[in-house]
Amino acid sequence: MISSINPSVKAIAVLIPGVLLGFMFDIFTPLAYFIFILLVTFTISGISIVKWLKIFSAFLVLVLGFAWMTMLYASDTYAGGEVLFEVWEFDVTTGSVMIAISLALRSMCFLSLSLLFVLTTDSTKFMLSLMQQLKLPPKLTYGILAGYRFLPTFQEELSVLRKAHRIRGVKRSRGIRGRINQFKRYSIPLLANAIRKAERVAIAMESKGFTDERDRTHYHEMKVRTRDWVFFGAIVGMFFVIVITSYSLGYLNIFGRKV
């Protein structure tokens, strides 16, 4: 299961193809890699298809919006070829359609890689792994972890504030000025509570001997095992296999230039 893979190795394995895909402007490379990520997601990740589709479809609208805007506003470098149709004053060419499809596929690859990481990674283990494997300062990692743990409490506090205002007869504000005043009413008490909690956590950590020393022991030790390198090799290696295949078939296009 992918959830048992070391989080730092998993993050790097997802990050490398995610960055390199940004240079691929053809259709074949991102399409083939997107299919591969889907196979990995639905076969060995343990992620529910329904849950994945709910999250993915929410971002799909954004992806299609990016593709549509790219198709209309493609630069002259990419908008070559025959004019297919017109939208208002814009000529839509074969080149602009191809670059829009490529952008949509790359965005779907980024999204599917992100979901593969987020839905199979425990946030506490990820922070511990960043500290133990990537040697990030403990102050930074524990600070991020504490802030992440506070997010649900802020939502609860906001709900309590709204109910308290409603009991006192303060109605929901309308209009831009009213919304700004309402934001001030909620944000100041929330900020005050956040500072108070941060101080308490800092005092508690210092009282228990927390320091910024990197040479420290851990109750949960995160290790890099063979299966982590197998996962890394599969995710990154398959990307390069697809790039080589794309090059062999004559599809590979980097920054609008065929290689």
Side-chain angles (χ1 to χ4, degrees):
M1 297 293 283
I2 296 180
S3 56
S4 63
I5 300 295
N6 184 285
S8 291
V9 175
K10 196 192 306 179
I12 296 171
V14 165
L15 191 63
I16 291 174
V19 171
L20 293 178
L21 271 170
F23 301 102
M24 310 299 169
F25 279 42
D26 60 286
I27 292 178
F28 177 82
T29 309
L31 176 62
Y33 198 67
F34 179 62
I35 293 171
F36 168 70
I37 293 298
L38 288 183
L39 288 174
V40 171
T41 302
F42 296 136
T43 53
I44 60 172
S45 71
I47 300 172
S48 163
I49 296 176
V50 176
K51 182 181 180 181
W52 188 90
L53 284 175
K54 280 182 180 176
I55 302 173
F56 187 83
S57 58
F59 288 97
L60 191 59
V61 177
L62 196 64
V63 170
L64 294 176
F66 282 143
W68 175 256
M69 296 303 291
T70 302
M71 187 178 68
L72 294 183
Y73 293 99
S75 67
D76 295 336
T77 309
Y78 308 115
E82 185 183 347
V83 177
L84 297 175
F85 55 91
E86 292 183 2
V87 178
W88 297 299
E89 299 175 352
F90 302 99
D91 292 333
V92 177
T93 63
T94 51
S96 60
V97 171
M98 297 291 278
I99 203 70
I101 295 173
S102 173
L103 176 69
L105 289 170
R106 277 179 283 149
S107 302
M108 289 195 291
C109 281
F110 302 147
L111 184 56
S112 56
L113 283 169
S114 302
L115 289 179
L116 183 65
F117 178 77
V118 172
L119 297 178
T120 60
T121 305
D122 181 84
S123 57
T124 304
K125 289 181 179 177
F126 182 43
M127 289 300 147
L128 289 173
S129 178
L130 287 177
M131 195 163 39
Q132 295 177 32
Q133 269 78 54
L134 300 185
K135 306 301 179 188
L136 257 66
K139 274 188 179 178
L140 179 65
T141 49
Y142 277 107
I144 294 172
L145 191 59
Y148 179 75
R149 294 289 184 190
F150 279 150
L151 287 178
T153 62
F154 288 146
Q155 191 175 3
E156 187 180 344
E157 285 178 7
L158 180 62
S159 175
V160 171
L161 277 173
R162 282 177 175 163
K163 289 175 183 173
H165 285 188
R166 204 176 301 158
I167 289 171
R168 292 170 186 168
V170 181
K171 295 181 180 178
R172 183 171 290 182
S173 304
R174 294 182 178 178
I176 296 175
R177 183 173 292 181
R179 293 291 174 90
I180 292 172
N181 290 332
Q182 181 177 279
F183 175 76
K184 286 180 182 176
R185 285 201 303 272
Y186 290 147
S187 60
I188 292 173
L190 284 175
L191 183 62
N193 278 336
I195 294 171
R196 197 176 299 131
K197 283 184 178 177
E199 284 180 351
R200 287 175 186 167
V201 171
I203 292 169
M205 291 173 76
E206 285 183 3
S207 66
K208 291 179 180 176
F210 177 79
T211 63
D212 196 27
E213 292 178 5
R214 300 190 184 194
D215 185 19
R216 53 189 295 126
T217 57
H218 298 277
Y219 181 71
H220 293 288
E221 288 194 6
M222 304 298 295
K223 295 181 179 177
V224 180
R225 298 182 174 87
T226 307
R227 65 185 177 193
D228 302 321
W229 292 117
V230 170
F231 174 81
F232 180 86
I235 297 295
V236 178
M238 182 54 73
F239 173 75
F240 285 107
V241 168
I242 289 172
V243 170
I244 292 169
T245 307
S246 178
Y247 173 75
S248 304
L249 297 175
Y251 293 127
L252 189 62
N253 186 323
I254 299 177
F255 275 127
R257 294 182 181 177
K258 279 207 168 185
V259 181

